[in-house]
Amino acid sequence: MAGIIGYGAYMPRNRIKVEEIAKIWGADAPSYKKGLMLQEKSVPSPDQDTITMSVEATKYALKRAGIDPTRIGAVYVGSESHPYAVKPSGTVLAEAVGATPEAHCADFEFACKAGSAAMFVCMGLVDGGKIEYGLAVGADTSQGAPGDALEYSAAAGAASFIIGKDDGVAKVIDTYSFMTDTPDFWRRSYMHYPRHAGRFTGEPAYFKHVLGCANGMMEKVGMKPKDFAYAVFHQPNGKFPMRVGKMLGFTKEQIEPGWLSPTLGNTYSGSSPMGLTATFDVANPGDMILMVSYGSGSGSDGFVYEMTDKIDAVRDLAPKTREKLDSDKVYIDYGTYAKYRRKIRMGE
Amino acid sequence: MSTSARYWREIPQRYRLEAAKCTSCGKQFFPPRLVCNGCGGREFEATKLSDKGKLATYTVIRIAPSDLTQQAPYAIGIAEFDGGLRVTAQVADVDFDELKVGMPVRIEFRRIREEGEAGILCYGYKFVPVR
Ligand SMILES: [Zn+2]
């Protein structure tokens, strides 16, 4: 099977606190903080988008991979906030990191699962012998409608992976996917903000698919929660990944290293992939890791990784995800946030 | 020439910081040029600007050109890179009282400007402080 040769994550420096959003809409901040386990989220600057964050995350992944980027045979960016409606994000990324012109390229979209979908396809192409290395990115700068519950969580970030046929830092032991047609969250063409089905996004959507995928994945490889050092689940808020982990029989300690959402927010296509990078940062050779993504609409991709000795040699070659999240930040007020996210109607 | 054609032509420099080094005297150029102004040489080898430099000078723009008004105020700086190369770019993610000659900066890929609501998005490099 394929392996992850290099990885990297990037998030913007701006943060907004739950209290700052709640005060504008007269909402009860403590109930969001406690109910959804969210404290603050990342916010992109006006000059940052899915493409720019994909490039920075990929620069980190390439530092760790140490490969010549012209050997990359596939470039896939998964996002629900591609900057163009028509024109790929992947071409800009490929050009910026020096992977052109001999590479296959397409953008992926599957709500919050687009990043893991890109990883899944790269692994298949590597296993099938079609490419030597694949570049898979999950990145988003998603928006929630002002005052909507999603506004407290919709955040910005990117994770990038170089996938190749050698073991790399983490061997891909196996993959599994689980999906149905479930209208829990969507955005129609030309609409600025997504819509969601409220409480329906929980049980029949997130929990059904993450549980179905995690159980199917573990059954396929014949493993139980105690066999894993860590587990990473999609993080639409702070609460869901912890709850789904407990339902499956994982402990808080197994989930915590990759549990970024309380201070990062939901980075959509970047969410579980970024959690995986933070977990790689602390994992030891031989550790087994379960990752399960979730994308509305709905589906989950499951992965089982085994860390190799190479992780110790490469983890310090680029910024570590949790350290970057905790150290390099600046708080903005709602006015600045509204300006940055273009929520203010300007003169023509 | 349309903006998109000019933008496209400059992609190697704007995206990948491709520079040129004169093969006879070693002088480096960013962006690359056809004739070396040091020795008149016409042969160059491709190099890449290192991604870390030092701010040599800066200013804060408060009255911006029309396509950048929403970004104002913003800082512009000239930074010096390995080999003495000097590059001008916007300094992003900086508090203005943090700006100092000699401060270490690195390069990040950012959206530079956009051609109105319907035109192309132009990407390229900006400096950000090394923290
Ligand atoms: Zn010369």
Side-chain angles (χ1 to χ4, degrees):
Chain A
M1 283 291 268
I4 295 196
I5 314 298
Y7 67 94
Y10 180 91
M11 77 289 293
R13 185 175 172 240
N14 311 304
R15 303 283 189 280
I16 188 165
K17 288 184 188 274
V18 163
E19 288 87 344
E20 181 65 21
I21 299 173
K23 123 183 145 189
I24 300 297
W25 304 113
D28 183 39
S31 76
Y32 276 102
K33 294 181 79 166
K34 196 158 168 282
L36 295 177
M37 298 170 91
L38 285 171
Q39 295 163 44
E40 59 196 50
K41 67 166 189 172
S42 64
V43 180
S45 291
D47 62 355
Q48 293 177 305
D49 61 24
T50 286
I51 291 177
T52 66
M53 296 189 305
S54 298
V55 171
E56 290 303 317
T58 301
K59 284 191 201 164
Y60 295 158
L62 280 166
K63 278 185 186 172
R64 289 194 172 105
I67 61 152
D68 174 357
T70 61
R71 290 163 71 187
I72 293 171
V75 178
Y76 299 137
V77 179
S79 180
E80 58 115 69
S81 51
H82 291 290
Y84 285 96
V86 177
K87 194 201 166 302
S89 300
T91 53
V92 183
L93 169 63
E95 200 76 67
V97 302
T100 52
E102 286 186 78
H104 183 252
C105 180
D107 285 355
F108 282 51
E109 193 277 318
F110 192 142
C112 299
K113 188 180 89 75
S116 70
M119 297 168 73
F120 193 98
V121 172
C122 277
M123 290 165 189
L125 289 172
V126 164
D127 284 341
K130 283 277 189 194
I131 57 171
E132 186 181 12
Y133 293 109
L135 166 56
V137 176
D140 259 308
T141 55
S142 298
Q143 298 229 38
D148 186 85
L150 283 180
E151 193 180 24
Y152 295 87
S153 58
S160 175
F161 300 89
I162 312 287
I163 292 151
K165 63 180 176 304
D166 36 333
D167 294 346
V169 301
K171 273 192 272 190
V172 182
I173 300 299
D174 213 339
T175 60
Y176 179 81
S177 282
F178 185 99
M179 68 97 173
T180 68
D181 184 39
T182 310
D184 60 331
F185 168 101
W186 61 90
R187 179 164 62 83
R188 295 272 301 275
S189 291
Y190 307 108
M191 294 291 116
H192 195 55
Y193 299 113
R195 295 270 297 271
H196 58 86
R199 290 201 166 271
F200 182 67
T201 57
E203 296 307 329
Y206 179 88
F207 289 97
K208 174 183 163 182
H209 293 83
V210 174
L211 291 171
C213 185
N215 283 323
M217 179 79 263
M218 287 191 285
E219 197 177 316
K220 193 175 174 195
V221 292
M223 293 173 69
K224 303 229 168 314
K226 63 170 173 43
D227 301 323
F228 293 92
Y230 302 105
V232 182
F233 303 105
H234 173 56
Q235 303 166 28
N237 49 51
K239 184 183 173 184
F240 280 21
M242 274 297 174
R243 200 169 130 210
V244 86
K246 286 215 174 96
M247 288 163 85
L248 285 161
F250 287 92
T251 63
K252 197 177 168 201
E253 290 68 32
Q254 285 169 298
I255 300 167
E256 225 156 24
W259 188 50
L260 304 172
S261 50
T263 51
L264 174 64
N266 178 7
T267 56
Y268 285 59
S269 302
S271 178
S272 52
M274 289 178 82
L276 184 66
T277 67
T279 306
F280 283 170
D281 284 338
V282 300
N284 291 311
D287 283 351
M288 304 296 290
I289 299 172
L290 173 70
M291 168 185 165
V292 180
S293 66
Y294 173 72
S296 288
S298 289
S300 287
D301 294 324
F303 304 84
V304 172
Y305 301 103
E306 181 183 353
M307 303 309 293
T308 74
D309 321 338
K310 285 202 190 110
I311 185 63
D312 291 330
V314 311
R315 75 175 101 226
D316 293 321
L317 298 178
K320 294 197 185 107
T321 306
R322 173 82 63 182
E323 284 174 18
K324 189 166 164 59
L325 177 67
D326 290 348
S327 64
D328 188 15
K329 59 180 169 181
V330 57
Y331 290 102
I332 59 174
D333 58 17
Y334 196 88
T336 307
Y337 165 75
K339 180 185 168 188
Y340 281 5
R341 303 288 14 233
R342 302 188 185 198
K343 290 174 193 283
I344 302 174
R345 187 177 299 229
M346 304 296 290
E348 302 294 313
Chain B
M1 192 176 9
S2 75
T3 305
S4 79
R6 187 168 60 230
Y7 168 73
W8 172 78
R9 194 162 43 84
E10 295 169 352
I11 279 178
Q13 284 75 51
R14 292 187 182 279
Y15 287 18
R16 295 190 297 272
L17 307 162
E18 286 184 7
K21 187 177 182 179
C22 174
T23 50
S24 47
C25 77
K27 191 164 177 181
Q28 290 195 73
F29 299 95
F30 180 85
R33 45 188 296 162
L34 292 172
V35 181
C36 174
N37 68 1
C39 72
R42 284 168 183 271
E43 278 183 31
F44 296 89
E45 64 176 293
T47 59
K48 199 172 168 285
L49 200 68
S50 65
D51 55 8
K52 282 195 183 102
K54 278 197 162 74
L55 203 60
T57 183
Y58 61 86
T59 187
V60 173
I61 307 284
R62 293 179 192 278
I63 313 289
S66 61
D67 52 345
L68 296 176
T69 45
Q70 284 197 48
Q71 291 191 41
Y74 57 85
I76 289 269
I78 297 176
E80 193 165 302
F81 291 80
D82 288 351
L85 281 176
R86 288 190 155 213
V87 178
T88 304
Q90 197 172 321
V91 190
D93 290 0
V94 72
D95 310 317
F96 297 148
D97 51 13
E98 213 183 329
L99 286 162
K100 229 171 59 192
V101 168
M103 77 186 278
V105 293
R106 61 191 175 80
I107 297 247
E108 271 200 14
F109 194 77
R110 297 288 174 110
R111 194 188 280 194
I112 304 297
R113 50 188 291 274
E114 46 201 88
E115 286 258 280
E117 284 286 302
I120 62 163
L121 303 169
C122 301
Y123 294 93
Y125 51 83
K126 288 189 182 181
F127 303 142
V128 295
V130 176
R131 291 190 173 87

